[in-house]
Amino acid sequence: MREIDVAIIGAGPTGLFAAYYAGFRGLSVAVLDALPEPGGQVTAMYPEKAIFDVAGFPTIKGRDLVANLVAQADQFTPEYILGVRAEELSYLDDRPVLALSQGDKLHCGAVIITAGLGSFSPRPLPAADAFDGEGVMFFVPRLAELAGQDVLIVGGGDSAFDWALALEPLARSVTLVHRREKFRAHASTVARVQQLPVRIVVNAEVTKLHGAERVTGADISIKGGGTETVPVDTVVAALGFTADLGPLVEWGLELDKRHIRVDSTMATNRPRIFAAGDITEYPGKVRLIATGFGEAATAVNNAAIVIDPAAHLFPGHSSDAG
């Protein structure tokens, strides 16, 4: 069992800023996430999407925001434990013990849960179930990898149209297939894609993928109009994700549906367990990345005085440290 001052569950923007701030306060930090790389929902769902509501940035891509947050936290060398879930919570000497899915245990001064809406699992593409080859993805980590390809996007929501916008300048062709005539995406984004040489097929479904080691084509079945086979190098199944709090629901936390109730210090009802970001609930809660940053600092500062009662709640400004 390893000792750590603060374990942060969730490596999204709020968790990454919490890692920086805990390091600034001189605390040792471990950041846990079930995903294989930092960034949480931003990395998983819209790494290339422009974000407009982060203070100080008129606009910034999701990938760049995550890279900046990782660089900021790296000043204090947090430990990243990725592709791993926190399974069980117990206590030893009044301090939390986290049992991790790969078998490790962390004995923590405090735990800060910044898990967004929990673990994300992509909604399946039925046609991909019978296909064993490569070339099917549920989000696009690096746009450049799809340059010059025939790309088939399945879905009608914001993610599907965001990928279409981002990939159209790079791909040889982009086809978007949606099973309905109406889209869930923002009307302005739909209008922008409709002005591009992107083929949009509605009232249709992808019913079969072709290829051996990698996808080479797909059957598109149009309602009342037969089936068409199109060449495909990559399928992007932008069908959304389902969120699951997973083991957290067994930890005795006070929940409000899929959110954790906290007080003004970001403390939960369990000793030394704090939460910040989208996963929290309290009167007047606003779910923005900017809100999560402030909650992360509040959680860290209050955790610091729980870990060391002699510490100050407010340590001064980070600019004073130099």
Side-chain angles (χ1 to χ4, degrees):
M1 185 160 55
R2 293 190 288 132
E3 302 287 332
I4 198 81
D5 290 329
V6 178
I8 297 169
I9 301 175
T14 297
L16 293 172
F17 186 71
Y20 156 74
Y21 204 86
F24 165 67
R25 292 227 51 171
L27 302 169
S28 60
V29 178
V31 183
L32 291 75
D33 203 294
L35 294 174
E37 58 183 318
Q41 183 179 348
V42 173
T43 296
M45 297 183 70
Y46 47 91
E48 298 293 337
K49 186 176 181 179
I51 300 173
F52 300 98
D53 54 6
V54 176
F57 294 96
T59 180
I60 185 169
K61 285 187 177 181
R63 173 185 301 286
D64 295 334
L65 175 63
V66 170
N68 288 348
L69 287 163
V70 169
Q72 184 181 33
D74 279 352
Q75 299 174 72
F76 303 106
T77 60
E79 176 187 4
Y80 290 95
I81 306 174
L82 303 175
V84 171
R85 283 170 42 135
E87 297 284 354
E88 297 178 3
L89 169 68
S90 59
Y91 284 84
L92 177 65
D93 299 329
D94 298 324
R95 296 177 60 191
V97 176
L98 294 180
L100 310 184
S101 58
Q102 95 288 41
D104 285 357
K105 288 188 176 181
L106 300 179
H107 192 207
C108 313
V111 174
I112 302 176
I113 303 171
T114 59
L117 294 179
S119 299
F120 281 82
S121 299
R123 289 192 172 93
L125 175 65
D129 292 342
F131 181 73
D132 296 327
E134 298 181 350
V136 179
M137 54 179 57
F138 296 92
F139 57 94
V140 185
R142 293 167 184 83
L143 290 174
E145 294 180 359
L146 274 62
Q149 294 191 8
D150 293 312
V151 179
L152 176 64
I153 300 172
V154 185
D158 287 319
S159 293
F161 278 86
D162 286 342
W163 293 130
L165 275 176
L167 288 168
E168 188 278 328
L170 300 173
R172 179 167 53 236
S173 69
V174 175
T175 301
L176 187 148
V177 175
H178 184 44
R179 61 180 179 173
R180 298 187 180 92
E181 190 169 350
K182 294 185 178 180
F183 305 109
R184 301 185 310 278
H186 291 294
S188 60
T189 309
V190 173
R192 289 175 63 191
V193 172
Q194 288 173 333
Q195 297 301 312
L196 298 173
V198 172
R199 184 186 178 197
I200 300 175
V201 185
V202 297
N203 294 321
E205 295 187 60
V206 176
T207 52
K208 184 178 181 180
L209 300 182
H210 300 279
E213 294 183 358
R214 186 176 179 87
V215 64
T216 58
D219 289 350
I220 301 175
S221 296
I222 303 170
K223 190 181 299 182
T227 299
E228 173 189 2
T229 301
V230 297
V232 176
D233 297 304
T234 296
V235 177
V236 181
L239 299 170
F241 289 73
T242 57
D244 179 14
L245 290 181
L248 294 180
V249 299
E250 307 296 333
W251 289 11
L253 298 164
E254 184 182 354
L255 301 178
D256 183 344
K257 297 180 181 178
R258 291 191 303 184
H259 302 109
I260 300 172
R261 286 197 172 274
V262 295
D263 62 19
S264 60
T265 70
M266 297 294 115
T268 72
N269 61 306
R270 299 301 308 272
R272 295 177 178 253
I273 309 296
F274 297 81
D278 283 355
I279 201 167
T280 62
E281 185 60 66
Y282 54 81
K285 169 72 180 185
V286 177
R287 288 181 172 81
L288 290 173
I289 291 175
T291 307
F293 290 158
E295 292 172 354
T298 298
V300 168
N301 281 330
N302 283 281
I305 59 174
V306 169
I307 295 169
D308 178 8
H312 294 288
L313 174 64
F314 178 58
H317 297 97
S318 58
S319 56
D320 299 335

